[in-house]
């Protein structure tokens, strides 16, 4: 019978899939329901027994699942609260649960170094004789003292050594991957960095020597900070295919969690069968980013706020428009290892317009004088358009107009002027901001091009549509600037239709989630006691558990974006 024989077979790394999906549930039935839905496509699972109120009582049901699914490899984890889990019992009770797991058919158990060190040697040996052991260490604050920690771990025999730290900067991922490379020849290693900045190690760790990595069941069900869902790791990052020759690209900025670039660019790589992966590179400073670029190495980057200007200094060379604009959104690493810069925001603005009209002599108003506006003004001037600029701070617009030989316009004069195109290059209308940069009477134009792309339809776009004007959504700029980046990096034509499709699908999903969030807030407001609570926090705290859980889930989703 499965699991009954204590003569375990040591788990062979080549038999394990790369992804272990961590499953929780407050009751065994919840956890097993999730496991049932996952096991066919993901036969490698971790059951977090420490999430149960009574882990020991769960074994009859767990055993039944394991007997029904001989194809599954399942890890039992009952991490103690002092070590970052939820189990409040003693080390002896933890050991009893792990022994029960072994007797019930689990092939692997995870035990923290701290517990293992406290156990009597013969108790630990007994556990190892019954089941495969993952000896784990978690650092919830930083990535530090890896060698020292591992020296302590190696004093105990284990089937897998799992070292999980927290990335407080991008380079921590490199530190983790170097550590894995050093030790994976001699030991079965599992390693990754937690936190939003740890995504590099979660995706690339497997090629640095981590036998497997962890995924969450779905967004919102993470068992560790920064954990990525199984569908994202499989479908977006194609983790099963990541290998030594996979080229690494990414979007670098601060923040980047909201960026749709990974969805779009990974879809493009997949479509064109390019052996590459594209990651979110949340860099708190440029120095950290550049160190990673060299050591990973990264083949190309999309640069976003706030590094578009600062990165220019770090480049060996850049194209003429990048120099004029003074901002770079695309970096490529040449064969010589040097970094070269381009500005594809220009193509992002010019291409959608050229698909609709010849730009020569067209009267185009750019609202804003920041980075996107500069790309628009210089790019359109290079196409011989007659370009006008207005901005909240007049001096910046005047200076831009002077540099690009465009015309500065005062906001007050707009109702008297007419244009072929008006471009919004301000953040007004973005996300929760429901403002428009211009009033209806100022929209004397045939086309309105709103560079804002979240939400998919802004107040300005609605106003323009109501007035019967043609509207170009910011999504088109986003896709076109990305398409040009793809072409620069790969030398292949970009799969524009596929890129537009995945981005608009992701935007639709965000809109649905935002609507759901709004409804939930309204639901909370409706359920509010007659006397208003003093703070929103108190209102949430006063709501039934179901509503609070939903709000927390939505908030988590927003934070991830
Ligand atoms: P930026 O460099 O920060 O410039 C922002 C511009 O907007 C400045 O001219 C600023 O005026 C103006 N502005 C900011 N807040 C304003 C307000 N409350 N009222 C009036 N004007 C305001 O930003 P950026 O990089 O140019 O990006 C601008 C927007 O373009 C972004 O928010 C984004 O939505 C969009 N964008 C879209 C894409 C795409 O792919 N679709 C790509 C890049 C950017 P002051 O000079 O007075 O501060």
């Amino acid at each position: 019978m499965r699991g009954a024989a204590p003569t375990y077979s040591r788990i062979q790394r080549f038999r394990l899939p790369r992804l272990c999906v961590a499953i929780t549930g407050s009751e065994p039935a919840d956890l097993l329901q999730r496991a049932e839905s996952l096991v066919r496509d993901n036969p490698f699972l971790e059951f977090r027994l420490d999430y149960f109120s009574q882990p020991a009582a769960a074994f009859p049901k767990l055993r039944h699942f394991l007997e029904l699914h001989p194809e599954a490899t399942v890890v039992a984890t009952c991490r103690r609260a002092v070590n970052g889990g939820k189990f409040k019992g003693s080390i002896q009770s933890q050991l009893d649960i792990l022994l029960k797991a072994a007797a019930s058919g689990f092939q692997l158990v995870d035990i923290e170094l701290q517990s293992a060190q406290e156990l009597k040697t013969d108790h630990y040996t007994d556990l190892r004789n019954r089941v495969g052991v993952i000896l784990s260490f978690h650092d919830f604050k930083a990535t530090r003292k890896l060698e020292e920690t591992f020296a302590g771990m190696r004093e105990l025999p284990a089937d897998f050594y799992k070292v999980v730290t927290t990335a407080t900067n991008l380079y921590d991922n490199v530190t983790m991957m170097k550590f894995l490379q050093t030790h994976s020849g001699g030991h079965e290693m599992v390693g990754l960095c937690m936190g939003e900045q740890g995504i590099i190690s979660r995706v690339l760790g497997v090629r640095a020597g981590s036998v497997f990595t962890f995924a969450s069941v779905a967004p919102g069900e993470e068992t560790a900070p920064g954990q990525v869902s199984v569908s994202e790791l499989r479908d977006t990052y194609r983790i099963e295919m990541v290998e030594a020759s996979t080229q690494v690209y990414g979007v670098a900025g601060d923040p980047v969690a909201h960026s749709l670039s990974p969805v779009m660019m990974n879809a493009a790589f997949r479509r064109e069968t390019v052996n590459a992966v594209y990651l979110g590179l949340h860099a708190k400073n440029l120095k950290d980013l550049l160190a990673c670029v060299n050591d990973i190495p990264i083949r190309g980057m999309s640069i976003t706020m706030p590094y578009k200007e600062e990165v220019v200094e770090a480049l060996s060379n850049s194209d003429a428009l990048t120099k004029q604009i003074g901002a770079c959104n695309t970096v490529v690493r040449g064969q010589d290892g040097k970094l070269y810069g381009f500005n594809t925001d220009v193509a992002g603005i010019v291409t959608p317009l050229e698909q609709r009209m010849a730009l020569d002599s067209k009267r185009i108003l750019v609202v804003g004088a920041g980075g996107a506006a500069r790309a628009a003004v210089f790019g359109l001037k290079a196409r011989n358009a007659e370009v006008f600029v207005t901005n909240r701070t007049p001096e910046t617009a005047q200076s831009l107009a002077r540099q690009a030989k465009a015309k500065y316009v005062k906001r007050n004069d707009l109702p008297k002027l007419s244009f072929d195109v008006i471009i919004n290059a301000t953040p007004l209308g973005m996300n929760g901001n429901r403002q428009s940069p211009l009033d209806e009477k100022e929209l004397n134009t045939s086309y309105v091009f709103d560079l804002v792309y979240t939400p998919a339809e802004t107040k300005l776009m609605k106003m323009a549509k109501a007035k019967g004007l043609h509207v170009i959504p910011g999504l088109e700029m986003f896709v076109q600037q990305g398409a040009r980046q793809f072409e620069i990096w790969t030398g292949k034509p970009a799969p524009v239709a596929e890129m537009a499709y995945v981005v608009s699908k992701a935007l639709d999903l965000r809109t649905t989630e935002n609507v759901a969030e709004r409804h939930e807030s309204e639901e909370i407001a409706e359920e509010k006691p007659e006397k208003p609570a003093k703070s929103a926090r108190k209102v949430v705290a006063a709501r039934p558990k179901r509503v609070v859980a939903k709000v927390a889930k939505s908030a988590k989703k927003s934070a991830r974006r």
Side-chain angles (χ1 to χ4, degrees):
M1 193 176 80
R2 178 190 166 109
T7 52
Y8 62 90
S9 61
R10 295 264 81 109
I11 308 289
Q12 299 291 315
R13 72 154 61 189
F14 59 82
R15 290 178 49 204
L16 284 178
R18 277 185 163 183
L19 271 189
C20 179
V21 187
I23 314 181
T24 65
S26 55
E27 298 298 331
D30 295 344
L31 181 146
L32 290 175
Q33 196 185 7
R34 289 183 174 89
E36 281 292 353
S37 66
L38 283 162
V39 68
R40 217 180 103 184
D41 295 330
N42 307 280
F44 190 17
L45 304 170
E46 179 192 37
F47 286 2
R48 288 297 298 262
L49 309 185
D50 50 321
Y51 280 62
F52 297 153
S53 49
Q54 290 183 298
F59 285 107
K61 285 185 178 146
L62 301 178
R63 179 194 288 269
H64 183 61
F65 174 89
L66 295 167
E67 283 171 357
L68 277 180
H69 294 287
E71 77 282 14
T73 301
V74 190
V75 183
T77 299
C78 191
R79 188 160 305 136
R80 297 186 70 221
V82 282
N83 299 325
K86 292 192 184 293
F87 184 64
K88 301 237 169 65
S90 64
I91 293 178
Q92 188 53 49
S93 327
Q94 181 187 24
L95 176 65
D96 290 345
I97 285 169
L98 297 182
L99 287 170
K100 278 200 173 83
S104 303
F106 285 84
Q107 294 91 339
L108 288 161
V109 295
D110 179 311
I111 184 166
E112 312 92 85
L113 175 65
Q114 296 88 331
S115 292
Q117 282 173 332
E118 290 291 316
L119 287 177
K120 288 196 179 124
T121 310
D122 51 346
H123 286 178
Y124 182 73
T125 307
D126 182 39
L127 180 68
R128 272 208 83 220
N129 285 340
R130 289 167 190 272
V131 68
V133 167
I134 302 174
L135 185 65
S136 65
F137 175 80
H138 296 80
D139 186 331
F140 290 93
K141 291 216 167 89
T143 299
R144 57 195 163 181
K145 299 184 181 164
L146 295 185
E147 290 303 335
E148 205 176 310
T149 303
F150 189 52
M153 293 176 90
R154 266 184 318 215
E155 286 180 10
L156 291 166
D159 295 278
F160 296 93
Y161 292 97
K162 174 179 147 192
V163 180
V164 176
T165 60
T166 298
T168 58
N169 54 56
L170 283 180
Y171 201 80
D172 282 344
N173 291 276
V174 178
T175 305
M176 173 57 75
M177 291 193 291
K178 286 187 172 170
F179 167 73
L180 289 168
Q181 272 159 359
T182 307
H183 297 289
S184 57
H187 302 275
E188 302 293 299
M189 302 297 295
V190 177
L192 57 91
C193 297
M194 296 183 283
E196 193 214 330
Q197 291 187 293
I199 176 83
I200 303 177
S201 68
R202 287 188 181 275
V203 177
L204 302 183
V206 287
R207 75 171 189 185
S210 185
V211 182
F212 56 89
T213 192
F214 288 87
S216 69
V217 174
E221 297 196 29
E222 297 82 10
T223 59
Q227 203 172 59
V228 181
S229 74
V230 60
S231 63
E232 244 180 298
L233 277 177
R234 279 248 155 82
D235 304 336
T236 303
Y237 298 111
R238 293 183 295 159
I239 193 162
E240 312 283 2
M241 295 178 55
V242 170
E243 35 143 33
S245 59
T246 303
Q247 304 279 10
V248 183
Y249 296 87
V251 52
D254 180 15
V256 293
H258 65 286
S259 174
L260 291 174
S261 294
V263 170
M264 177 171 78
M265 302 308 281
N266 282 309
F269 287 141
R270 174 198 279 266
R271 181 77 183 190
E272 294 303 309
T273 55
V274 178
N275 183 7
V277 65
Y278 184 100
L279 304 167
L281 307 169
H282 183 173
K284 301 251 171 78
N285 58 67
L286 199 60
K287 196 170 155 223
D288 180 28
L289 176 68
L290 294 173
C292 279
V293 172
N294 287 328
D295 273 18
I296 287 184
I298 293 175
R299 190 88 172 84
M301 286 183 293
S302 312
I303 305 289
T304 183
M305 303 241 283
Y307 302 123
K308 283 187 180 184
E309 288 88 23
E310 198 184 340
V311 77
V312 177
E313 293 296 307
L315 303 172
S316 292
N317 206 349
S318 51
D319 66 354
L321 268 174
T322 303
K323 284 180 189 149
Q324 271 185 324
I325 297 164
C328 159
N329 79 327
T330 308
V331 170
V332 63
R333 202 184 160 83
Q335 298 291 355
D336 54 6
K338 292 181 178 166
L339 301 180
Y340 297 94
F342 298 85
N343 192 312
T344 70
D345 282 340
V346 173
I349 294 162
V350 168
T351 308
L353 290 171
E354 282 187 330
Q355 285 168 346
R356 291 164 169 92
M357 67 190 80
L359 288 172
D360 197 348
S361 307
K362 289 289 182 307
R363 289 169 60 85
I364 302 182
L365 171 70
V366 177
V367 184
R374 290 182 69 82
V377 171
F378 280 103
L380 293 166
K381 279 297 293 181
R383 295 295 200 278
N384 291 325
E386 190 180 356
V387 182
F388 300 81
V389 197
T390 192
N391 187 41
R392 176 177 65 179
T393 309
E395 295 75 22
T396 345
Q398 285 160 351
S399 159
L400 171 57
R402 247 192 329 273
Q403 289 168 39
K405 299 193 171 42
K407 291 172 187 155
Y408 167 70
V409 186
K410 279 194 211 140
R411 172 93 189 245
N412 288 345
D413 291 340
L414 289 182
K416 296 178 262 170
L417 299 172
S418 69
F419 304 96
D420 296 297
V421 183
I422 293 180
I423 299 177
N424 173 34
T426 77
L428 290 179
M430 201 163 110
N431 295 328
N433 179 312
R434 298 199 196 160
Q435 288 172 277
S436 165
L438 297 178
D439 298 331
E440 201 191 321
K441 64 177 186 314
E442 295 168 315
L443 298 181
N444 303 319
T445 179
S446 305
Y447 284 84
V448 168
F449 188 178
D450 196 342
L451 303 191
V452 170
Y453 68 95
T454 46
E457 190 170 68
T458 60
K459 181 171 179 193
L460 172 67
M461 287 161 71
K462 281 188 191 138
M463 219 154 70
K465 275 186 190 165
K467 228 181 150 180
L469 308 178
H470 299 287
V471 168
I472 309 175
L475 176 113
E476 289 198 30
M477 174 184 178
F478 184 68
V479 172
Q480 289 298 340
Q481 60 81 32
R484 190 74 198 99
Q485 292 184 328
F486 181 91
E487 287 162 5
I488 290 170
W489 292 333
T490 66
K492 292 182 172 206
V496 177
E498 173 79 5
M499 293 165 80
Y501 172 74
V502 294
V503 175
S504 63
K505 220 171 77 172
L507 278 176
D508 283 350
L509 192 69
R510 272 187 195 181
T511 311
T512 316
E513 284 173 359
N514 287 341
V515 169
E517 271 168 38
R518 270 210 306 281
H519 284 166
E520 274 161 2
S521 322
E522 280 157 18
E523 194 181 340
I524 288 166
E526 275 168 24
E527 288 181 38
K528 225 166 29 174
E530 283 197 353
K531 193 175 163 202
K534 278 188 185 148
S535 72
R537 185 181 290 246
K538 280 189 183 158
V539 174
V540 172
R543 293 308 96 216
K545 263 192 183 158
R546 180 183 58 81
V547 178
V548 175
K550 275 208 266 173
V551 173
K553 203 167 165 187
S554 307
K556 261 193 191 166
K557 280 182 186 163
S558 310
R560 274 199 311 281
R561 290 195 293 272

